[in-house]
Amino acid sequence: MKKLILLIALALPALLTAQQRDWANYGRYAEANAQLTTPPAVVFMGNSITDGWDNAHPEFFTANNFACRGIGGQVTAQMLCRFRADVINLHPQAVVILAGTNDLAQNTGYISLEHILDNIQSMAELARANGIRPVLCSVLPAGDFPWRPGLEPAQKIVRLNAMIRAYAEREGIPYVDYHAALDNGSGGLDARISRDGCHPTLYGYTLMEPMVVEGINKALRTKQVRYTTPIPNE
């Protein structure tokens, strides 16, 4: 009995800390969600790559009535947890899901490619069940993760993207292949597209914008002209 009490005493602080921590970071967009007076046309769900997009080029979001709901460092499980609060409850027409980089970087520990795909599929299914059309995106190329070097992610990204594409094709969901467009031929990103080999520069985002707009238009079955940044001349 004394041993059980001791184990509980030792575990209790950790349990309380976990309860006090907003693991999915619901608080990040709580105020922005509450202030919305009309539904966004599209919500972008993702990690720092999505979050950085809004920082680098906010006009892409404001001009098109898009809502950025990216949070740096997040894995697909965290996005799935907050999917109702940050996507479904906003009642968009479509959601763009760009996820998986931080899972492969093992930000919250090891996770198999199959379970990463499970989380992405679950987000897509939740969207569809609530009348929201999903758009799935490939994970961007990365030869290494600067915050967790040595994992050699390039081929894992290729395999995960093949799984996401196969699911999207099977379910009739638009798939935006950033990887094919941005790959430098070695499974990474050139310096003009990314300074750290993972997060796009503004130029990188200008390449991504027309691709995702095409995916959104496919999902919504429209040919609507949307604002994108003109791509600079080479």
Side-chain angles (χ1 to χ4, degrees):
M1 184 66 179
K2 289 182 179 179
K3 288 184 178 179
L4 178 60
I5 293 172
L6 179 60
L7 287 172
I8 294 172
L10 291 172
L12 189 58
L15 290 171
L16 290 173
T17 300
Q19 288 175 346
Q20 292 168 352
R21 184 173 65 243
D22 180 7
W23 182 76
N25 206 346
Y26 292 104
R28 167 66 188 277
Y29 290 108
E31 184 176 351
N33 291 343
Q35 291 177 350
L36 285 175
T37 56
T38 57
V42 181
V43 173
F44 282 59
M45 169 59 76
N47 49 44
S48 57
I49 294 171
T50 297
D51 197 6
W53 199 337
D54 191 30
N55 292 331
H57 189 209
E59 295 84 3
F60 176 64
F61 292 86
T62 56
N64 292 305
N65 189 27
F66 294 163
C68 173
R69 293 297 181 265
I71 297 180
Q74 284 211 330
V75 296
T76 53
Q78 290 169 305
M79 296 179 207
L80 180 57
C81 282
R82 65 183 177 88
F83 198 80
R84 182 170 298 277
D86 286 345
V87 179
I88 294 170
N89 291 349
L90 306 188
H91 307 291
Q93 299 171 45
V95 58
V96 173
I97 301 170
L98 172 53
T101 294
N102 292 319
D103 297 74
L104 294 170
Q106 301 182 23
N107 280 21
T108 57
Y110 172 79
I111 178 173
S112 69
L113 299 184
E114 290 77 14
H115 286 151
I116 299 171
L117 181 65
D118 285 345
N119 290 335
I120 293 171
Q121 288 181 187
S122 293
M123 286 188 272
E125 289 168 2
L126 279 170
R128 285 180 145 180
N130 286 274
I132 301 166
R133 296 184 179 178
V135 177
L136 299 181
C137 303
S138 72
V139 176
L140 271 64
D144 203 2
F145 299 128
W147 66 96
R148 197 175 295 273
L151 292 178
E152 300 181 350
Q155 289 307 307
K156 298 171 191 172
I157 291 172
V158 170
R159 292 198 297 272
L160 177 59
N161 284 340
M163 294 163 68
I164 297 171
R165 178 194 286 273
Y167 167 72
E169 290 178 350
R170 187 167 66 249
E171 296 296 322
I173 298 172
Y175 175 77
V176 181
D177 195 351
Y178 296 132
H179 191 282
L182 304 180
D183 184 3
N184 63 7
S186 301
L189 296 170
D190 284 337
R192 190 178 184 191
I193 293 174
S194 174
R195 293 189 180 90
D196 67 357
C198 185
H199 299 88
T201 59
L202 177 58
Y203 175 73
Y205 288 122
T206 65
L207 301 179
M208 294 165 63
E209 286 175 4
M211 288 187 278
V212 75
V213 164
E214 181 180 357
I216 290 167
N217 282 342
K218 284 182 180 178
L220 298 179
R221 297 168 189 166
T222 181
K223 295 183 179 180
Q224 182 176 341
V225 176
R226 303 177 191 272
Y227 169 76
T228 61
T229 307
I231 299 175
N233 294 327
E234 294 292 342

